[in-house]
Amino acid sequence: MTPVEDPRTDLSLDAGELEGAAGPPPDDLFKALASEKRRRLLAILTEQATISLDDLTDVLVGWEATDSGPAGPDEWARMKIELVHAHLPLLADTGLVVHDEAAGEVRLESVSDPIRDLLRFATEYERVVETGRSQPTDS
Amino acid sequence: MTLGSILSEVAAEEKTVVVYSPDDTGEDLAERLATRNLHVDHRKIPSISADAFVVVRDGSRFRGALSLSDLLVFLSPPIHRPEDLDSVDAAYRALFELLDQTVFVTLDRRQLLATSREIEDRAWRTGRGRLHVGFQSVAAFEAQAGLYRDLAATTDVDVHVYVPAGAPSGYLDDAPLTAHTDVDEDLARYWFILFDGHGEAGLPDGQTLADDGTESAQSCALIAEATGPDRYRGVWTYDPDRVARAFEAVT
């Protein structure tokens, strides 16, 4: 097992790193994180900067299927609608995600390091709470 | 329509299974799915979730998603299917639909027998409808003939047995079933067992097969051909249309 840095230490914030007004207002930022689907979406994008909307829908539907059982095309269509009409606009307004509708792609906005660290922390926090493990499964 | 063309048709419908896992879980899945008509890809997901899942796609269409552990249960023969599909969740129905039409290429005799038993059990429980069964060998026929005799004698199922050439004559003479002894060469290549829960005769007055949503849920078929010693390729299906066409191919 490789030691993992304590994620909390990544969260020290030097005001200079935000480079002026580069960050979203706190309410917007924390609202973006206040939804399991959006956290999952952001976790996916921090590992894979660009993803097609269809692939993103696949991953979120599949992820949900691990909690709630098999999902079919109806669930898929609902998830895609929810993404396009709710989650992606909210994340775009917050300046975290770009939804390129013409290309059918979703990508992470270039965010400042502290924001990126916060997204990583949110992922790490969720992993600890959800799985009781402080790092990815070793195999 | 022949049984062979049904096999080819199903073989052409390859689906893609994408395995998403935070680690190496499911890496051996390709091997397990090699017995099915499925192409397997792997992708990493963030490790918030401990559970691997799979997404099934048919060309560009999303067909279904389920956890890897659910998939492994469904892939183990004999096939398990809820008795009454109307009572199960729509998503489970979709799952059966998407895993239905997959060809297996490397089942052995034991697995085929287990699947045959599942279909026969269904015929026993339903108690009516049509069951048509054909054998690739005299030995298989001799081993199973008693079971079909009992089924025909005990239930209202209309049983047809396709007796392979060389089988001792008179084996089923006194059984209330139809024994076909002049099986043509094309048909004799297949191990098949076809069942539908209705048959036109079994329907209430005034009801046609088209109205009949519930009993067609009992339709199932196994069609296999030997490819080597104790090796078979074939398909099992719950698709009522495909089962109906298999009946047409043998009658």
Side-chain angles (χ1 to χ4, degrees):
Chain A
M1 289 181 123
T2 342
V4 165
E5 276 182 74
D6 183 339
R8 282 168 300 182
T9 62
D10 292 340
L11 276 179
S12 62
L13 183 60
D14 174 348
E17 288 179 85
L18 274 174
E19 287 158 14
D27 276 359
D28 292 358
L29 177 61
F30 290 106
K31 187 178 178 193
L33 291 172
S35 140
E36 183 177 58
K37 282 191 189 109
R38 291 197 292 273
R39 285 192 302 277
R40 287 177 173 180
L41 192 163
L42 289 165
I44 293 159
L45 289 177
T46 49
E47 297 210 352
Q48 179 183 348
T50 300
I51 188 168
S52 76
L53 179 60
D54 282 357
D55 280 355
L56 179 63
T57 310
D58 278 12
V59 177
L60 291 173
V61 169
W63 202 329
E64 205 163 77
T66 63
D67 301 325
S68 51
D74 290 351
E75 285 81 3
W76 193 88
R78 270 200 294 275
M79 179 71 80
K80 188 166 175 178
I81 288 169
E82 202 181 321
L83 284 174
V84 170
H85 293 285
H87 300 306
L88 291 173
L90 189 147
L91 290 169
D93 287 349
T94 317
L96 294 175
V97 160
V98 178
H99 177 202
D100 183 341
E101 293 187 45
E105 276 181 359
V106 176
R107 60 179 183 272
L108 196 63
E109 184 62 274
S110 46
V111 292
S112 58
D113 287 347
I115 301 292
R116 190 174 282 269
D117 289 343
L118 179 68
L119 300 184
R120 288 212 184 91
F121 174 82
T123 303
E124 185 64 24
Y125 181 80
E126 191 142 17
R127 170 162 53 240
V128 173
V129 171
E130 294 293 322
T131 71
R133 285 196 305 269
S134 61
Q135 51 190 302
T137 317
D138 256 0
S139 41
Chain B
M1 180 61 59
T2 65
L3 293 184
S5 61
I6 292 176
L7 286 186
S8 315
E9 178 187 295
V10 176
E13 296 170 356
E14 192 186 58
K15 296 184 182 66
T16 303
V17 172
V18 186
V19 182
Y20 290 91
S21 65
D23 49 35
D24 297 337
T25 315
E27 292 241 311
D28 58 342
L29 192 65
E31 214 167 288
R32 303 198 50 173
L33 291 178
T35 62
R36 312 281 292 210
N37 194 30
L38 298 166
H39 172 79
V40 183
D41 273 348
H42 290 268
R43 292 184 202 167
K44 289 277 274 186
I45 48 164
S47 43
I48 301 173
S49 163
D51 300 320
F53 57 85
V54 301
V55 169
V56 184
R57 284 192 158 270
D58 181 355
S60 61
R61 263 187 331 146
F62 173 94
R63 297 295 303 271
L66 68 163
S67 71
L68 182 61
S69 46
D70 280 353
L71 176 66
L72 294 179
V73 169
F74 283 114
L75 287 178
S76 322
I79 41 185
H80 298 289
R81 192 182 209 220
E83 270 305 285
D84 178 6
L85 276 187
D86 288 336
S87 73
V88 303
D89 193 72
Y92 273 97
R93 270 211 303 282
L95 168 68
F96 280 111
E97 281 161 17
L98 74 93
L99 291 177
D100 258 1
Q101 308 297 342
T102 48
V103 162
F104 52 82
V105 289
T106 55
L107 283 195
D108 61 26
R109 184 176 170 72
R110 186 186 56 78
Q111 292 167 309
L112 280 176
L113 279 172
T115 304
S116 298
R117 288 304 86 80
E118 156 80 18
I119 296 175
E120 289 155 14
D121 282 351
R122 180 168 303 195
W124 277 103
R125 289 191 305 258
T126 308
R128 64 201 181 99
R130 294 184 290 172
L131 184 100
H132 286 218
V133 57
F135 308 89
Q136 279 187 315
S137 75
V138 172
F141 166 75
E142 288 179 338
Q144 296 298 111
L147 190 150
Y148 296 110
R149 174 202 299 272
D150 291 348
L151 182 68
T154 315
T155 68
D156 291 332
V157 177
D158 179 18
V159 179
H160 287 240
V161 174
Y162 296 75
V163 182
S169 60
Y171 223 82
L172 292 169
D173 278 358
D174 58 337
L177 52 73
T178 310
H180 301 267
T181 49
D182 52 346
V183 181
D184 70 45
E185 238 174 78
D186 265 356
L187 205 52
R189 293 170 49 206
Y190 299 98
W191 169 337
F192 62 88
I193 171 165
L194 320 175
F195 177 67
D196 62 20
H198 39 67
E200 297 279 359
L203 290 174
D205 284 346
Q207 195 177 351
T208 66
L209 285 183
D211 305 328
D212 183 36
T214 50
E215 292 300 322
S216 66
Q218 297 296 336
S219 288
C220 51
L222 170 72
I223 304 161
E225 65 179 330
T227 54
D230 199 31
R231 273 286 172 272
Y232 298 82
R233 80 186 271 269
V235 62
W236 67 65
T237 180
Y238 297 106
D239 178 347
D241 293 337
R242 196 159 261 152
V243 174
R245 279 188 289 136
F247 271 108
E248 280 166 29
V250 303
T251 51

